[in-house]
Amino acid sequence: MIDIMKMVKARTYMKRNEPFLYSWHAYVGYELDLYKAFERPMTQYDVADALSLDEQLLAQWVAVGVSIGYLKEVGRNRYQIKNRWKLPKSKGNNSSGVLLKEMMELHIPTLLEYPKMMRNKNRLHFDEEEHAATVAETSRLLEILAYPKMAARLKEKNCRRVLDIGCGEGGYIKKLAGKFPSTQFTGIEISQEVVDTAKALTKEQKNVTIEQADLWDYTPKAPQDMIMLNNVLHYIPLEKRQPLFKELASWLANEGVLSIVTPIAGGPDSTPFANVFNSFFSSFDNLYRLPKREELIEWGEESGLEFLSLRTVIKEGGWYIVQYEKKS
Ligand SMILES: C[S@@+](CC[C@H](N)C(=O)[O-])C[C@H]1O[C@@H](n2cnc3c(N)ncnc32)[C@H](O)[C@@H]1O
């Protein structure tokens, strides 16, 4: 009886882990541009040769691909991609593959450190320079969903000056600046590498300025009609969040809007993903847990900001956009 239970449990764990194979396959395919290589019927030998890869390992990856329906055999030892719509696009095309890369190279290895960290009672250190580019790129995937809510508010309030703090690659600014050509946009970003990308991506736009700056050493030259803080709150230590809200409120013009995109966790209704984000952030001594809904409301109230709205961006990830208005 006991042995049967053991088998059932082991089987359940294996079954539950099956989706990992799809992610693993897609990650390897994205990282090495293999789906592109197999866009037309190709032998493993030719692909291994063209990309200078280990042929046996490639053959194993192909075998898994066939068994999960990402590749198919098309005769004469040649293989080709199948179900193209399920596969990540190749690198540099705003591909969803970058999310896989972040999960596989950063999130999962970090979560696997839990036993060691718990035993030794110490945390890892998040190397911002190493991960800044990937993290900035994955954050951009949210843009499509969050952007319309920002654009609507910007239009409604007729904002002339907009500041984006921790602007990453400047995706929001770029889109907004195109739609609102008479609004002046400034993005500040701490990582020089990411600043360089943001500058290159917005170089055609006359109404955009990107600056390398740490938000803690920065003060805008003029009052702002909108300040955005998108996916940055987890970089802010807990005790500094309320003071930061006060500071940002002081940078706003009267009736200016503070607009924040962040996952929210901490309530019993938080999604598993939002909770596991928190496990991830908590693994580092320089990243901090996500805000709770009540905290976001309280920090605004304490800073003289009137709560405007809290709307869902991605339900499964627990992502929201919160907006406040300054009332003098
Ligand atoms: C997760 S990314 C989000 C990028 C962008 N706002 C978006 O939502 O697509 C967070 C960005 O904040 C930047 N950042 C972190 N701490 C900062 C600070 N103290 N001052 C300025 N930027 C900072 C990071 O380098 C990173 O590019």
Side-chain angles (χ1 to χ4, degrees), residues 51-108:
L51 301 179
S52 303
L53 300 172
D54 183 309
E55 196 190 334
Q56 266 185 3
L57 294 180
L58 179 67
Q60 294 308 324
W61 178 84
V62 167
V64 174
V66 171
S67 72
I68 63 175
Y70 281 4
L71 296 170
K72 60 185 173 193
E73 198 175 351
V74 286
R76 288 189 289 139
N77 286 329
R78 290 173 315 152
Y79 295 88
Q80 190 178 9
I81 53 171
K82 193 178 162 190
N83 293 316
R84 175 193 294 268
W85 59 278
K86 289 186 183 172
L87 310 176
K89 285 204 196 113
S90 54
K91 280 185 178 173
N93 291 315
N94 208 9
S95 167
S96 57
V98 72
L99 184 70
L100 279 170
K101 186 173 164 74
E102 187 176 315
M103 255 166 44
M104 292 296 184
E105 294 185 1
L106 184 56
H107 297 177
I108 290 173

Side-chain angles (χ1 to χ4, degrees), residues 169-294:
E169 295 183 345
Y172 288 109
I173 290 191
K174 185 181 162 75
K175 278 212 187 91
L176 290 167
K179 193 169 159 81
F180 300 95
S182 52
T183 302
Q184 193 56 47
F185 293 86
T186 307
I188 65 162
E189 166 57 51
I190 200 167
S191 152
Q192 186 61 55
E193 187 188 349
V194 177
V195 166
D196 294 343
T197 309
K199 280 192 172 163
L201 289 171
T202 55
K203 68 173 187 296
E204 307 293 333
Q205 281 154 314
K206 301 266 176 298
N207 56 337
V208 172
T209 313
I210 308 284
E211 290 177 40
Q212 192 277 325
D214 182 343
L215 71 92
W216 300 111
D217 303 328
Y218 180 83
T219 317
K221 292 180 192 76
Q224 302 293 314
D225 301 311
M226 187 188 245
I227 296 180
M228 301 193 290
L229 188 75
N230 300 329
N231 298 304
V232 173
L233 268 180
H234 52 272
Y235 289 85
I236 314 289
L238 303 185
E239 70 284 2
K240 286 188 167 175
R241 290 179 182 178
Q242 171 72 80
L244 178 66
F245 267 58
K246 281 214 166 112
E247 178 77 7
L248 299 186
S250 78
W251 297 356
L252 282 173
N254 194 25
E255 298 189 1
V257 172
L258 174 62
S259 179
I260 297 182
V261 173
T262 183
I264 296 181
D269 57 344
S270 305
T271 64
F273 252 107
N275 280 316
V276 87
F277 265 142
N278 259 352
S279 311
F280 170 74
F281 294 139
S282 303
S283 307
F284 299 97
D285 60 10
N286 55 342
L287 292 182
Y288 310 92
R289 69 158 175 78
L290 296 171
K292 298 178 189 170
R293 190 180 289 252
E294 314 80 77

Side-chain angles (χ1 to χ4, degrees), residues 119-163:
R119 272 192 204 110
N120 300 343
K121 298 188 182 160
N122 64 10
R123 308 275 164 106
L124 307 168
H125 192 77
F126 185 71
D127 183 341
E128 301 202 3
E129 275 308 307
E130 185 186 343
H131 301 298
T134 309
V135 168
E137 206 182 332
T138 46
S139 303
R140 289 197 60 185
L141 295 174
L142 281 177
E143 260 170 48
I144 290 173
L145 299 165
Y147 168 80
K149 298 184 169 71
M150 285 167 204
R153 192 67 79 187
L154 215 143
K155 186 168 175 211
E156 177 201 330
K157 300 285 177 191
N158 192 21
C159 300
R160 316 309 295 169
R161 281 200 194 93
V162 175
L163 174 66

